[in-house]
Amino acid sequence: MKITPENKAILLEALEDMMYKLSLQLDELKGGPLDKQRKELTKKQAHVEKLQHQISIA
């Protein structure tokens, strides 16, 4: 996938915002059981981190 410099900045900013929202959601569940919702949010957070890395080195 080829990403232009202008799109790279926008994509990284969007992923950063998404990561912030995921962090807030996970913070609300902190200390609770590792239920389905928390597992899905954690999985999504890891996926976003991977995307951020891939885009930043592109």
Side-chain angles (χ1 to χ4, degrees):
M1 168 169 58
K2 185 171 178 145
I3 301 170
T4 64
E6 62 188 26
N7 288 339
K8 181 178 183 176
I10 296 291
L11 286 170
L12 287 172
E13 184 178 341
L15 288 171
E16 186 177 322
D17 288 346
M18 186 176 193
M19 199 59 147
Y20 177 72
K21 290 177 184 176
L22 287 169
S23 294
L24 289 177
Q25 290 175 318
L26 281 168
D27 193 49
E28 291 175 5
L29 301 173
K30 196 175 195 176
L34 191 57
D35 60 3
K36 184 179 178 183
Q37 181 187 12
R38 190 169 170 195
K39 285 180 184 178
E40 287 177 12
L41 288 172
T42 302
K43 185 177 176 181
K44 190 182 250 186
Q45 188 178 42
H47 194 99
V48 171
E49 286 175 351
K50 186 177 176 182
L51 282 171
Q52 282 177 315
H53 178 72
Q54 288 175 342
I55 291 170
S56 66
I57 63 172

